[in-house]
């Protein structure tokens, strides 16, 4: 623990609280879906390597963000780094990416809720096929109705001014972490080393099993790692919670080490929950398990109650994350409005002090995407991939600002952290999610209209360089349409 006795904020969050913030802000639905998602694309060996690579990449990102947060506590959050470093247009691109990501994550949460309700160990046993499609895991009509009710209930709660209810968040955090620990404990007890190490690198039997089930094999180890990266990046969304924390910490000097420890705890939980099941269930059963596979694995380990236990734990965890992810886009658009990156109307508060219009826009867009997702080849993967590539834009800008700031302050080590973090984000997204990145450009086109209006309100006009960037976005957006239609970008 840090030996610095300087207290920046006597009522601030202590050291263990900071670690808890990093852990709880990252754990959403991802950890419960990982088991099946990884098994379908990678062997245990390749999945472990992918975790180590992603863990290192996010460690440098978290260190960069906490360094910028400590050096520039005057900047309000991660989206402000791009504006400070590179100007208002880049501030808009970073903020709009974060805003898109926050509500696209809710589409992933909604899909997960429908999948769990449709499980044989939840309500699917009584009403098969009503909540989710047993083959694709996409929401069925009943699932869309239930998810829409949850969506509007949460939106209404936040519009009524329910602040991030501390008690509710505490309950959800306990449920999340306790259920994952119980799952890992059972998996460790049921672990069979022979089953785990059989074809550890996935080049023989596991490859044949996946080929028979999915029509495409695992490929070499490098290909397996690439297939894992985008799935794993989704599990780290929330790591930027560190940037918010520096202002609320009792000792600012502790934020860096708390972030590193928090990431260590996360990696232990994630690796335990996603890798140990390779040694619990037969591989063919693991990849054939309905989504999310965690339910089938727990039922296999604890017959009669395991599936139901983990099903309800997932629903509570996901709804808790959904509540905070509903406030996040509203907070982001309010901040962008204050910085004249979005029109003033986006920050108009109702009598309860909530940005009602911004929340309703997010609610409507989430609803539309939940309906569209029912036609996707894999709704959950589509939603989390879109969420991940859009937030990666914000992360990349934060890493770029870390490089710029460190160069100005002549701090070569901090600059190196920023370079590694930026390279990881750019390479990770271009190798695994370039198609979804092109689709995200479509999401920027209406945003530029609001950005132009906001600049006019501030008495500014768009520069020639802004127009060139907008034209590039527009071309990339147009290119994404035929690529999606042709199935090159895997959506439908």
């Amino acid at each position: 623990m840090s030996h610095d006795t300087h207290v920046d904020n006597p009522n601030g969050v202590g050291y263990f609280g900071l670690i808890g913030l990093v852990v709880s802000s990252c754990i959403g639905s991802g950890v419960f879906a990982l088991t099946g998602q990884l098994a379908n694309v990678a062997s245990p060996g390749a999945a472990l390597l992918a975790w180590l690579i992603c863990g290192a990449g996010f460690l440098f990102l978290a260190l960069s963000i906490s360094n910028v947060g400590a050096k520039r506590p005057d900047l309000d959050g991660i989206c402000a780094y791009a504006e400070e470093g590179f100007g208002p247009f880049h501030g808009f691109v970073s903020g709009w990416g974060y805003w898109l990501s926050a509500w696209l994550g809710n589409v992933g949460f909604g899909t997960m809720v429908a999948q769990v309700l449709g499980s044989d160990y939840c309500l699917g046993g009584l009403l098969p096929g009503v909540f989710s499609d047993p083959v694709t895991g996409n929401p069925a009509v009943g699932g869309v109705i239930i998810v829409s009710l949850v969506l509007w209930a949460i939106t209404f709660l936040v519009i009524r001014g329910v602040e991030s209810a501390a008690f509710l968040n505490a309950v959800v955090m306990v449920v999340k972490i306790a259920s994952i620990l119980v799952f890992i404990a059972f998996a460790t007890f049921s672990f069979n080393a022979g089953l785990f190490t059989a074809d550890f690198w996935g080049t023989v039997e596991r490859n044949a099993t996946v080929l028979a089930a999915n029509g495409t094999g695992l490929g070499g180890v490098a290909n397996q790692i690439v297939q894992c990266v985008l799935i794993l990046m989704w599990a780290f969304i929330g790591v930027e919670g560190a940037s918010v924390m520096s202002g609320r910490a009792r000792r600012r000097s502790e934020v860096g080490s708390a972030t590193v420890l928090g990431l260590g705890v996360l990696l232990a939980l994630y690796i335990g929950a996603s890798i140990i099941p390779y040694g619990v269930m037969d591989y063919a059963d693991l990849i054939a398990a309905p989504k999310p596979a965690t339910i089938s694995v727990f039922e296999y380990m604890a017959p009669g109650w395991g599936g139901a236990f983990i099903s309800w734990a997932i629903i509570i965890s996901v709804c808790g994350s959904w509540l905070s992810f509903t406030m996040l886009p509203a907070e982001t658009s309010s901040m962008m409005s204050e910085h004249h990156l979005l029109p003033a109307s986006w920050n108009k508060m109702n009598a309860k002090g909530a940005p009602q219009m911004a929340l309703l826009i997010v609610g409507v867009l989430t609803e539309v995407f939940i309906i569209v997702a029912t036609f996707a080849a894999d709704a959950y993967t589509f939603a989390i991939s879109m969420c991940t590539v859009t937030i990666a834009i914000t992360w990349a800008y934060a890493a770029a600002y870390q490089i710029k700031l460190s160069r100005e302050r002549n701090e070569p080590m901090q600059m190196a952290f920023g370079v590694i973090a930026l390279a990881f984000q750019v390479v990770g997204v271009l190798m695994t999610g370039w198609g979804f990145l092109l689709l995200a450009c479509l999401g920027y086109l209406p945003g530029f209209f609001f950005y132009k209006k906001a600049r006019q309100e501030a008495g500014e006009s768009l520069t020639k360089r802004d127009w060139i960037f907008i034209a590039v976005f527009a071309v990339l957006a147009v290119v994404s349409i035929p690529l999606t239609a042709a199935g090159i970008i895997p959506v439908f």
Side-chain angles (χ1 to χ4, degrees):
M1 198 185 288
S2 170
H3 295 294
D4 190 332
T5 52
H6 173 68
V7 174
D8 297 288
N9 178 358
N11 302 319
V13 181
Y15 192 69
F16 291 105
L18 292 176
I19 296 170
L21 271 170
V22 176
V23 175
S24 63
S25 55
C26 279
I27 294 179
S29 66
V31 64
F32 299 107
L34 285 168
T35 308
Q37 283 183 303
L38 291 184
N40 272 287
V41 294
S43 59
L48 266 173
L49 283 178
W51 272 123
L52 293 176
I53 293 166
C54 281
F58 278 98
L59 175 62
F60 287 112
L61 177 70
L63 289 171
S64 299
I65 292 171
S66 67
N67 175 58
V68 173
K71 301 269 166 64
R72 292 294 310 270
D74 54 310
L75 299 177
D76 44 7
I78 187 167
C79 303
Y81 301 161
E83 184 188 5
E84 179 65 23
F86 312 102
F89 182 80
H90 294 281
F92 168 78
V93 171
S94 172
W96 192 255
Y98 199 65
W99 179 82
L100 283 171
S101 168
W103 63 261
L104 283 164
N106 292 345
V107 179
F109 294 149
T111 309
M112 171 71 88
V113 168
Q115 284 179 0
V116 174
L117 288 173
S119 147
D120 287 349
Y121 309 106
C122 195
L123 301 179
L126 302 169
L127 303 163
V130 171
F131 300 104
S132 60
D133 183 309
V135 181
T136 61
N138 289 0
V141 176
V144 170
I145 292 168
I146 297 284
V147 166
S148 302
L149 289 173
V150 174
L151 161 69
W152 290 108
I154 290 174
T155 306
F156 181 69
L157 268 177
V158 181
I159 284 175
R160 290 299 308 270
V162 173
E163 278 308 304
S164 172
F167 172 71
L168 205 61
N169 273 348
V171 171
V172 170
M173 182 177 147
V174 169
V175 170
K176 276 198 280 205
I177 294 176
S179 55
I180 295 164
L181 288 173
V182 170
F183 178 78
I184 292 171
F186 270 79
T188 307
F189 188 71
S190 315
F191 187 74
N192 174 341
L195 195 61
F196 183 73
T197 52
D199 194 16
F200 191 65
W201 297 106
T203 49
V204 197
E205 305 139 64
R206 291 187 196 270
N207 192 35
T209 309
V210 169
L211 191 59
N214 300 346
T216 50
L218 293 173
V221 173
N223 181 61
Q224 293 175 47
I225 292 171
V226 168
Q227 297 301 316
C228 291
V229 170
L230 203 62
I231 297 169
L232 301 190
M233 284 174 83
W234 156 255
F236 286 102
I237 289 179
V239 76
E240 70 286 343
S243 78
V244 187
M245 290 176 346
S246 57
R248 291 189 289 160
R250 191 176 300 157
R251 294 190 178 88
R252 210 161 267 162
S253 56
E254 292 179 344
V255 170
S257 66
T259 302
V260 175
L261 261 172
L263 263 175
V265 172
L266 268 178
L267 271 172
L269 290 173
Y270 284 166
I271 291 173
S274 62
I275 302 290
I276 300 173
Y278 279 102
V280 171
M281 253 171 112
D282 186 65
Y283 190 59
D285 295 335
L286 192 58
I287 60 172
K291 299 165 184 162
T294 310
I295 298 175
S296 304
V297 177
F298 210 138
E299 181 63 27
Y300 175 81
M301 298 187 294
W305 65 272
F309 166 80
I310 203 78
S311 295
W312 292 107
I314 294 174
I315 289 175
I316 294 167
S317 302
V318 170
C319 288
S321 298
W322 198 339
L323 180 65
S324 37
F325 264 65
T326 300
M327 294 180 207
L328 206 57
E331 281 171 26
T332 306
S333 52
S334 292
M335 188 275 281
M336 289 173 72
S337 177
E338 285 166 14
H339 287 233
H340 306 295
L341 304 176
L342 282 176
S345 55
W346 285 66
N347 196 23
K348 198 162 172 243
M349 299 291 170
N350 64 10
K352 304 274 185 187
Q356 188 166 325
M357 186 191 97
L359 286 161
L360 289 173
I361 291 172
V362 166
V364 169
L365 288 168
T366 310
E367 182 69 70
V368 168
F369 262 73
I370 284 170
I371 294 166
V372 169
T374 60
F375 300 102
D378 179 343
Y380 182 73
T381 304
F382 168 64
I384 69 165
S385 301
M386 289 300 294
C387 173
T388 306
V389 297
T390 44
I391 200 168
I393 296 169
T394 312
W395 285 337
Y397 268 117
Y401 182 57
Q402 155 84 342
I403 297 169
K404 186 178 181 193
L405 188 69
S406 305
R407 203 176 69 198
E408 287 167 3
R409 292 175 176 244
N410 197 17
E411 295 172 332
M413 194 168 102
Q414 289 292 351
M415 194 169 144
F417 287 178
V419 170
I420 297 168
L422 180 60
F424 173 73
Q425 294 302 325
V426 173
V427 173
V429 167
L430 291 182
M431 278 175 71
T432 63
W434 63 268
F436 295 112
L437 195 60
L438 289 180
L439 272 182
C441 292
L442 274 173
Y444 270 92
L445 298 184
F448 292 134
F449 165 78
F450 293 115
Y451 174 68
K452 182 172 183 286
K453 191 164 180 262
R455 298 317 288 164
Q456 284 168 342
E457 282 180 11
E460 306 266 341
S461 54
L462 299 192
T463 65
K464 192 173 166 190
R465 184 186 273 181
D466 292 349
W467 283 112
I468 292 169
F469 276 119
I470 290 172
V472 171
F473 271 90
V475 169
L476 294 174
V478 169
V479 167
S480 74
I481 298 168
L483 288 177
T484 304
I488 296 167
I489 300 175
V491 179
F492 301 107

